Amino acid sequence: MSDEIVTSTGQWSLVVLRTTQSSVKIWAGTLFSTLKMPDHARIELISPDNTVIHEIIKADWIRPFSKIRKRFYITTSFADLQPGQHYEVRFSRRIEAISGVREASWQTLRTAQFDTLPAQLPTTGQKPFTVGFGSCFYNHRDGGQAAGSYKALYDRGDASVKPDITFLTGDQVYLDIGFDSLSFVSSEIRQRVADDYALHWQALGSILNRGATWMLPDDHEYWNDYPFHDSLIPTLLALKISKVRETWTKAAIDGVQRVQQSPQLDFFELGAELSFCLADLRSYRSDDAFLPSADFNRLTDWARSLTCPGVLVIPQPLIVEENKTERNLLSFKTQYQQLIAALGESGHDIVLLSGDVHFGRIATVSLGPKGGRLVEIIASPLSNLTGLNGIATATPSFKPKKFPDPNLFSIPGWQAKPVQYDKSFAVSTKEGRLFSAYPKSRTREHFMTASFSQTDNGEVMLKVNAWRVRERDGNNLPKRDFEEYSLQLK
């Protein structure tokens, strides 16, 4: 019988991409250019009473980035799983025997774990269904803090806040930071994009292998204000050259589609009690729309047909002011207005999970005359930009005062209502210091958890917590940033 070898495996990745009540999709491989492609590897799905093995031969590996000969990955799906069940995953490669020395053996490269989605929303007294979410991760000064804090909460946190799944809502990498962005050489552009992914995926590894993770891109998975290239930021001036822009775009799309495996739209439900929709409102933008018509109709159809509270996950918030220097969702006024109208159509509450803006905040506002509310929860950043880019840090905004902003447009039959901003549920800030990595005041690095359960009267209870990435409590768990926020949804 062969032995199993466990060694340092920091350049290998094992990611639980998405799960349903009965299936899971797994990503395994390396984004580093220095590792050898295994001739024989395997992914094992381990449950309390069974192990299913997916064998991998050399011909199965896929290159994540076009025209780059190094780096490789594979995805595989497992079906016939049980809802609400805990599973473990093991990614291994075969070490061939050396004649007369030892037998062939298996080396464990990475392990992961996850729970399938429950068949229905948990009730009072059961562990609530909890989503961990965050955005905007710049690796430079993180030092493993983001993944370490998430790992601690997942492994040792109280069941009431332990994440079941994860939503990363944009800017998991910053491809447009640094003066190497000015390169005109196609091969250098591709390698820079691939190297950025390798370093960021290594740093985020303990998040990506704990619970299923859905990833949505925002602009920095491409470049600032993508897909537009009218910026005068010095490091982006090379984008004025069509060949540079085409190469950069293709490499960035490879990262979003092959590495992050981001869905354009994805939907799932927990029984009849809670419905989820994830929408990539960045990758498919045109001059006047953030989604093509057919996909936008699928999004608004979901909103209009809700028979229970909904959770909408998008890379940018809806409660925003007009931005004259960089496009937000309000810049696409027709679809913005139509989406808001659709969200108010069912009369049910919509919980919106988002990021992008480099601050954390909870805001609530009426969604039209049918009684629904928008509960917008922003978690940003996991790790702040540093150095010259440290000026992009931000503190919480409590504008606009009314929604929809009556100075910009109105929706027939709606009245603009005051937005409720409770400053006690805005993530705290830290003062900047001149000539430091953070010259401006910034929102503390954090992620959030949103827990959902069904009350005795059949309503849905929402509880939100914010967790400081770079501070620990007496139990070495991430420190809470504010007292728990709770709201009964309808």
Side-chain angles (χ1 to χ4, degrees):
M1 185 173 180
S2 65
D3 296 323
E4 184 176 275
I5 302 170
V6 180
T7 64
S8 175
T9 56
Q11 291 188 338
W12 296 96
S13 291
L14 181 62
V15 182
V16 184
L17 280 174
R18 288 188 284 283
T19 188
T20 68
Q21 282 85 357
S22 60
S23 67
V24 69
K25 186 175 183 181
I26 304 293
W27 191 107
T30 182
L31 295 173
F32 285 88
S33 62
T34 54
L35 297 185
K36 180 179 181 294
M37 183 181 287
D39 293 322
H40 191 186
R42 66 188 181 190
I43 299 172
E44 299 169 86
L45 182 71
I46 305 164
S47 65
D49 55 2
N50 190 32
T51 297
V52 180
I53 299 176
H54 178 85
E55 301 285 354
I56 306 166
I57 62 174
K58 196 167 186 177
D60 294 331
W61 296 110
I62 303 167
R63 299 293 185 186
F65 296 99
S66 303
K67 300 184 179 181
I68 295 181
R69 293 294 301 161
K70 302 291 184 178
R71 314 169 210 259
F72 50 89
Y73 78 99
I74 190 172
T75 61
T76 186
S77 295
F78 294 90
D80 301 321
L81 309 185
Q82 297 300 310
Q85 175 72 51
H86 186 74
Y87 292 87
E88 296 181 359
V89 185
R90 184 162 54 216
F91 172 38
S92 309
R93 68 176 174 184
R94 183 178 173 88
I95 307 297
E96 297 302 327
I98 300 174
S99 178
V101 178
R102 58 175 172 81
E103 297 179 0
S105 56
W106 286 91
Q107 177 193 20
T108 297
L109 301 173
R110 295 289 285 177
T111 60
Q113 56 184 305
F114 70 95
D115 291 345
T116 47
L117 299 179
Q120 61 185 30
L121 195 63
T123 56
T124 302
Q126 298 178 316
K127 179 193 178 309
F129 181 75
T130 299
V131 176
F133 61 104
S135 69
C136 305
F137 177 75
Y138 187 53
N139 187 40
H140 181 213
R141 287 295 183 101
D142 170 65
Q145 296 290 338
S149 61
Y150 199 91
K151 174 184 176 181
L153 192 68
Y154 186 97
D155 291 352
R156 299 184 292 103
D158 189 270
S160 63
V161 293
K162 173 184 173 179
D164 294 290
I165 63 173
T166 307
F167 297 144
L168 297 179
T169 62
D171 298 340
Q172 283 76 249
V173 292
Y174 280 82
L175 301 183
D176 54 348
I177 299 300
F179 285 99
D180 55 350
S181 301
L182 289 169
S183 175
F184 302 151
V185 180
S186 294
S187 61
E188 292 178 358
I189 295 169
R190 296 188 195 101
Q191 294 292 352
R192 174 176 50 79
V193 170
D195 286 345
D196 282 347
Y197 264 98
L199 292 172
H200 283 72
W201 249 232
Q202 183 181 54
L204 292 171
S206 292
I207 297 176
L208 301 176
N209 64 9
R210 282 171 169 76
T213 301
W214 283 254
M215 288 169 269
L216 294 175
D218 199 16
D219 56 342
H220 296 291
E221 268 85 359
Y222 302 96
W223 61 73
N224 192 76
D225 207 16
Y226 177 86
F228 308 100
H229 52 276
D230 50 8
S231 170
L232 296 179
I233 296 174
T235 54
L236 300 183
L237 291 178
L239 289 169
K240 309 295 184 185
I241 301 171
S242 60
K243 182 181 178 181
V244 170
R245 190 167 63 253
E246 290 166 6
T247 303
W248 192 333
T249 300
K250 183 61 173 69
I253 290 173
D254 283 346
V256 168
Q257 295 184 351
R258 299 181 187 180
V259 182
Q260 297 201 52
Q261 302 267 322
S262 298
Q264 184 170 2
L265 289 166
D266 202 5
F267 307 90
F268 65 87
E269 295 180 346
L270 302 185
E273 296 82 39
L274 195 62
S275 180
F276 287 78
C277 171
L278 295 96
D280 176 357
L281 304 187
R282 169 63 65 176
S283 298
Y284 307 95
R285 291 184 178 187
S286 62
D287 287 339
D288 57 2
F290 46 71
L291 271 180
S293 296
D295 300 298
F296 182 72
N297 290 341
R298 291 175 61 204
L299 171 58
T300 53
D301 286 348
W302 168 81
R304 292 191 184 96
S305 62
L306 284 171
T307 58
C308 61
V311 180
L312 176 60
V313 187
I314 56 177
Q316 289 188 311
L318 283 175
I319 303 176
V320 291
E321 294 185 287
E322 200 167 26
N323 190 331
K324 299 293 187 181
T325 60
E326 188 176 325
R327 296 161 183 86
N328 56 21
L329 296 180
L330 183 53
S331 305
F332 307 91
K333 285 189 173 61
T334 299
Q335 284 196 345
Y336 179 84
Q337 181 174 341
Q338 291 171 348
L339 176 57
I340 293 170
L343 293 174
E345 187 66 29
S346 73
H348 289 286
D349 290 341
I350 303 292
V351 178
L352 189 147
L353 307 181
S354 188
D356 175 67
V357 289
H358 294 193
F359 60 76
R361 182 194 74 190
I362 301 176
T364 59
V365 68
S366 170
L367 271 177
K370 295 189 176 181
R373 294 169 295 181
L374 177 63
V375 184
E376 184 178 82
I377 309 171
I378 302 170
S380 171
L382 276 166
S383 182
N384 271 297
L385 293 162
T386 58
L388 290 175
N389 301 291
I391 61 173
T393 57
T395 56
S397 169
F398 303 106
K399 295 179 181 179
K401 297 299 184 184
K402 290 188 175 183
F403 182 84
D405 189 336
N407 296 318
L408 299 175
F409 66 87
S410 61
I411 298 175
W414 285 41
Q415 289 184 340
K417 296 289 186 178
V419 182
Q420 303 300 314
Y421 300 106
D422 188 332
K423 294 185 179 181
S424 61
F425 298 116
V427 175
S428 61
T429 61
K430 192 166 185 176
E431 187 176 351
R433 289 185 296 110
L434 197 61
F435 306 120
S436 74
Y438 301 105
K440 284 183 60 179
S441 295
R442 71 187 196 273
T443 294
R444 294 178 188 270
E445 290 82 356
H446 67 280
F447 64 91
M448 293 193 189
T449 53
S451 301
F452 301 88
S453 59
Q454 190 175 180
T455 65
D456 293 337
N457 63 2
E459 301 292 330
V460 175
M461 178 60 69
L462 165 68
K463 295 185 177 182
V464 180
N465 287 277
W467 307 95
R468 294 183 185 175
V469 159
R470 302 189 183 185
E471 297 179 43
R472 302 289 193 272
D473 64 15
N475 296 313
N476 203 29
L477 291 167
K479 189 174 181 180
R480 292 178 186 267
D481 189 80
F482 53 66
E483 293 298 316
E484 186 171 76
Y485 171 91
S486 63
L487 182 69
Q488 190 163 295
L489 304 177
K490 56 187 178 180

